[in-house]
Amino acid sequence: LAGQAGRTLEGQVLAARDSTALGGVRVRALDLPQSTATDARGRFRLSQLPRGDLRLVFERIGIRPDTLAVGADQATLVVYLEAAAVQLGPVVSTAQPSARERFERIAQTSTVTLEPGELKQVPGVAEPDVVRVVQLLPGTVAKHDFSTGLNVRGGENDQNLIRLDGIPVFNPTHLGGLFSTFDPSALRSVEFIMGGFPAGYGGRLSSVLDITLLDGDAERTHVRGAVSVLSAKALVDGPVGKTGLTYLIGARRTYADAFADAFSDDPFTYYFADLVAKAALRLPGGGTLAATGYWGRDALDLPWIEANLEDDRVDFALNWGNRLVGLTYRQSLGPVVLEHQASVSEFKTRQAFEPDILSFNNSARVLSLQTALAASGRRHQLRLGGGYERFRMLYHTRNDAIGQDVANLAYRPQVWSAFLDEQWKPTEFLLLRPGVRVEHVTGAEVTRVAPRIALKAFVTRSFALTGSAGRYYQAIQSLSDQELPLNLFDIWIGADATTPVSRAEHLVAGFEQWFGRHTSLAVEGYFKTFDQLAIRDPFDDPKVQGDEFTVGDGDARGFDVLLRRHLGQVQGWIAYSYAEATRRTPTDTFPPGHDRRHSVDL
């Protein structure tokens, strides 16, 4: 028997089509334990084979299996195998909505994420509008159909933090508030937080509208344009050669003035225009550097008094607009991400009876420096940072007819801030998110501590109880009378020795339920208190700084229901809100102008 063993067989496996070597082919002797696999050159070797006739089996994914008879005297062989397509079962990949990912990973109440496709599909006035879509969400009220202002869960219009790529925007409106300044075609995402927002956000009492621009396409150039009954616009994006730099440029202008002039002899001298741009550069080492800019302007000129034998011609001129620029550097260092941002944002408005009769000017500017560090692990997500904001608010009214200033006010508060935001996952079914924000306001010379916490407890993988509580401060105010039915824009001032730093406290509790991958139901109740609110004093003396406001407080309570379908041929939501709001001054208690009991949006 020993003499029957010890045979060695060598060979090579090639493709029948072109004689290329086939590696990774399994070669085994039928009914025997010996087996091997071909190397990269298609070669194989089998040892300790019996000295008789053999049958070898050749198998590998992508070739047709074959069996070959080998004679007793054969020591080498070359085998040609044919390719064979392998039919696999279908693989179905289903996109998960960003809202579902947030539900599973983040403890944050009162948050809605909107995708660009949703913004474009929701019906609007003349053309899609970001803020008007937000107005259809629960907890959000517009005083009337002619304004893109937001009153969120009993708050005022100036209590909403609106950011474009992290840069604050003061008055994002066109056409007297009828349209917002954001073109949905240039946006990547919109996140709206109606209350209980985390410690990374500061400076406002009621809500956060965080808008992110698209990056330019890194592969090819795209040119898009559109014409609506309101405006004409164009959007261009793409790469700059192979430098790693991408760009996006969008421009828009109304043509209502040109259209009216073509069909009427009466002058209609109103227009708005805006320009948005973004450049992003990939840096060696995985970092990115991005620059964002925006410019917008509204201008209206109307004849007020026609010239005659007794009076000279008087025209009314009104213009306003925003401009901003920001630079953001982001660097990933493994599980740690560093982000630094520097920006300048400014709003200006001017109203005048010309020539040289009466003029009114207001400007609001903020220079902002922000830095943050984010680190994530299996059970912890930590974010900490700090910032510096230097505001300059100028309010100037002049009677040019007599050469005298009626009001000349200046506010220059500075806000130093630091925050810590930590999400902890102690178990698979519980998320805790404590945080704290500290702000020091110069001018008012106060330091405020704002603790915050949120939690999410999963009863099942698709049902969670949610809650949050927090304290919030605001160092800038709007001089506009919030009780008027129509405000073209907010007039900004800042905290000082006589103008207070406002405060609010939020308490939110509710639940979120998902039905499959497509549909979610969120129900939340809330209670908010407001303190040190600056309420317009109708009896102020324009020559005296400090009596523009009477200090008041207030509260708001209610609950919101949002049933939303995120994917599928039919998408959208049904929103219901019940709300009560109250304001109190030393002499009166009253509901604010946006107080509304029931709201339903489909």
Side-chain angles (χ1 to χ4, degrees), residues 225-360:
V227 177
S228 72
V229 297
L230 175 70
S231 66
K233 57 186 178 181
L235 186 69
V236 182
D237 73 294
V240 180
K242 297 183 179 180
T243 62
L245 177 67
T246 63
Y247 68 91
L248 178 143
I249 301 174
R252 178 172 59 165
R253 191 191 191 280
T254 185
Y255 48 80
D257 53 346
F259 186 82
D261 290 343
F263 293 93
S264 174
D265 295 331
D266 296 328
F268 182 79
T269 53
Y270 168 80
Y271 75 91
F272 75 76
D274 52 36
L275 178 68
V276 64
K278 183 175 183 179
L281 176 65
R282 294 192 301 271
L283 301 174
T288 59
L289 185 65
T292 299
Y294 173 84
W295 171 89
R297 175 180 170 82
D298 286 65
L300 173 67
D301 292 294
L302 292 175
W304 194 259
I305 299 176
E306 297 290 344
N308 53 52
L309 295 176
E310 298 180 359
D311 300 308
D312 295 330
R313 178 186 176 92
V314 177
D315 291 330
F316 174 69
L318 171 63
N319 59 76
W320 71 92
N322 284 283
R323 55 183 179 178
L324 60 87
V325 62
L327 191 66
T328 304
Y329 169 69
R330 185 179 288 107
Q331 178 68 53
S332 178
L333 302 172
V336 176
V337 177
L338 295 174
E339 182 173 299
H340 311 290
Q341 184 180 76
S343 66
V344 177
S345 180
E346 185 175 43
F347 169 79
K348 285 186 174 182
T349 183
R350 180 178 185 271
Q351 301 178 46
F353 291 94
E354 298 176 333
D356 302 329
I357 298 177
L358 181 66
S359 62
F360 164 87

Side-chain angles (χ1 to χ4, degrees), residues 166-181:
I167 306 168
V169 185
F170 286 101
N171 285 301
T173 61
H174 284 312
L175 202 60
L178 192 58
F179 300 97
S180 71
T181 58

Side-chain angles (χ1 to χ4, degrees), residues 21-181:
L22 294 178
V25 177
R26 185 187 179 206
V27 183
R28 62 183 177 89
L30 189 65
D31 299 328
L32 293 173
Q34 289 88 344
S35 68
T36 187
T38 60
D39 60 18
R41 299 173 62 186
R43 298 186 180 276
F44 70 91
R45 177 174 176 156
L46 289 172
S47 303
Q48 300 297 316
L49 296 172
R51 296 183 180 277
D53 294 337
L54 300 172
R55 293 177 66 83
L56 298 183
V57 179
F58 300 86
E59 300 170 314
R60 198 198 75 176
I61 293 177
I63 68 167
R64 190 183 304 279
D66 201 356
T67 302
L68 180 67
V70 181
D73 298 330
Q74 194 170 355
T76 61
L77 70 157
V78 177
V79 181
Y80 293 89
L81 300 178
E82 296 182 355
V86 179
Q87 183 173 351
L88 302 177
V91 177
V92 179
S93 178
T94 302
Q96 182 162 264
S98 56
R100 176 73 190 204
E101 294 182 5
R102 185 184 66 251
F103 168 76
E104 295 175 352
R105 297 174 47 246
I106 300 176
Q108 177 58 58
T109 60
S110 312
T111 302
V112 177
T113 301
L114 299 171
E115 306 295 340
E118 294 175 300
L119 298 174
K120 296 175 184 178
Q121 291 174 9
V122 174
V125 180
E127 62 181 44
D129 188 273
V130 174
V131 179
R132 289 200 173 276
V133 174
V134 172
Q135 288 178 345
L136 301 176
L137 295 171
T140 305
V141 172
K143 290 184 181 179
H144 46 73
D145 292 337
F146 304 104
S147 173
T148 55
L150 295 176
N151 296 94
V152 182
R153 289 183 173 177
E156 307 296 345
N157 187 53
D158 65 340
Q159 296 173 358
N160 307 305
L161 176 61
I162 300 175
R163 308 197 314 176
L164 181 66
D165 278 353
I167 306 168
V169 185
F170 286 101
N171 285 301
T173 61
H174 284 312
L175 202 60
L178 192 58
F179 300 97
S180 71
T181 58

Side-chain angles (χ1 to χ4, degrees), residues 338-489:
L338 295 174
E339 182 173 299
H340 311 290
Q341 184 180 76
S343 66
V344 177
S345 180
E346 185 175 43
F347 169 79
K348 285 186 174 182
T349 183
R350 180 178 185 271
Q351 301 178 46
F353 291 94
E354 298 176 333
D356 302 329
I357 298 177
L358 181 66
S359 62
F360 164 87
N361 295 274
N362 175 242
S363 67
R365 186 179 70 181
V366 56
L367 167 66
S368 177
L369 303 174
Q370 306 289 332
T371 185
L373 178 150
S376 59
R378 181 171 174 268
R379 293 193 178 274
H380 293 273
Q381 294 181 21
L382 173 68
R383 192 165 185 266
L384 56 89
Y388 168 73
E389 293 175 302
R390 187 174 71 191
F391 293 91
R392 188 196 69 180
M393 313 292 192
L394 303 179
Y395 179 75
H396 180 215
T397 302
R398 180 175 177 80
N399 189 330
D400 295 300
I402 61 175
Q404 182 177 349
D405 288 340
V406 178
N408 193 6
L409 309 179
Y411 303 84
R412 292 183 171 86
Q414 301 176 52
V415 181
W416 298 84
S417 62
F419 73 89
L420 185 147
D421 181 27
E422 154 76 354
Q423 179 171 280
W424 175 38
K425 188 177 183 180
T427 72
E428 292 299 317
F429 305 102
L430 181 63
L431 294 174
L432 294 176
R433 191 174 184 178
V436 63
R437 186 177 186 91
V438 180
E439 297 181 347
H440 176 74
V441 183
T442 65
E445 299 304 331
V446 296
T447 301
R448 301 294 190 228
V449 179
R452 303 172 192 182
I453 189 169
L455 65 88
K456 179 174 288 185
F458 290 92
V459 180
T460 69
R461 293 192 178 275
S462 298
F463 178 78
L465 303 175
T466 60
S468 65
R471 180 176 295 167
Y472 305 88
Y473 291 97
Q474 182 167 333
I476 59 174
Q477 310 278 348
S478 169
L479 192 63
S480 301
D481 190 343
Q482 299 289 343
E483 300 312 306
L484 290 177
L486 179 61
N487 280 320
L488 293 180
F489 38 72

Side-chain angles (χ1 to χ4, degrees), residues 499-527:
T499 305
V501 175
S502 300
R503 183 183 74 184
E505 294 181 343
H506 297 191
L507 180 63
V508 183
F511 68 85
E512 187 170 355
Q513 169 74 59
W514 278 79
F515 306 96
R517 293 178 175 268
H518 299 167
T519 306
S520 65
L521 172 66
V523 179
E524 289 185 340
Y526 63 88
F527 178 73

